[in-house]
Amino acid sequence: MLIGSGVNMKNQRIFPGMILIGFGIYFFLEQINIPTLQPYFTWPTLLIIIGIAYLFQGYGARDYHAILPGTILAGFGLHFHIVNRLEVWPDHIGIFILILALGLLLQYQKTGSGLFSGCLFLLLSILLLFYDRIIGWLGFLETGVTTAWKFWPILFILIGGYLLFVKKK
């Protein structure tokens, strides 16, 4: 056992093993030059491979803190592949915050920590992804909401300050 980690030394081989297998498959397929796979020999695919290795480490080795980076890397890699292939796929900061929120919520499921952050980022991503529709639904409040929307970062500053300086456990 590693001191304080709760992870078996034997399970520390999962991440590098998955990286080597994933990269080996990637480079082998690249060398045999299959035309239909050519669009996937890019850096986003490498992000997906690394992300999947982290997820195997997180779930397979019960190293649950590897779930967040695994979700982020695999999600970003997937996003960069999909964004140019599907017109309906959003290409702005909201999707990145959604991937982060998903990672935090998946990690919370196993560790019991990160629920507040995950929900906060999920709410922010929904607001960013559906801003135009939300404003349309609030039609009669549009000018007031538009003005308030300019100051939403101040809300983050206030909540962050509260969490750092006021809220004590």
Side-chain angles (χ1 to χ4, degrees), residues 131 135 138-152:
Y131 173 73
I135 292 301
L138 299 174
F140 63 94
L141 298 173
E142 188 170 349
T143 56
V145 171
T146 304
T147 303
W149 184 254
K150 293 177 185 175
F151 298 105
W152 68 265

Side-chain angles (χ1 to χ4, degrees), residues 114-131:
L115 178 63
F116 178 75
S117 301
C119 290
L120 185 66
F121 283 125
L122 181 63
L123 179 64
L124 176 62
S125 70
I126 290 169
L127 286 173
L128 291 172
L129 288 169
F130 300 106
Y131 173 73

Side-chain angles (χ1 to χ4, degrees), residues 91-99 125 128-129:
D91 187 21
H92 59 78
I93 191 70
I95 196 70
F96 296 110
I97 295 173
L98 179 64
I99 293 168
S125 70
L128 291 172
L129 288 169

Side-chain angles (χ1 to χ4, degrees), residues 32-51:
I32 62 173
N33 202 15
I34 300 171
T36 56
L37 296 179
Q38 288 305 312
Y40 301 104
F41 296 124
T42 58
W43 63 270
T45 303
L46 297 175
L47 283 180
I48 293 170
I49 291 169
I50 296 169

Side-chain angles (χ1 to χ4, degrees), residues 152-165:
W152 68 265
I154 293 172
L155 181 63
F156 281 177
I157 294 168
L158 294 173
I159 292 171
Y162 172 77
L163 291 174
L164 284 175
F165 302 114

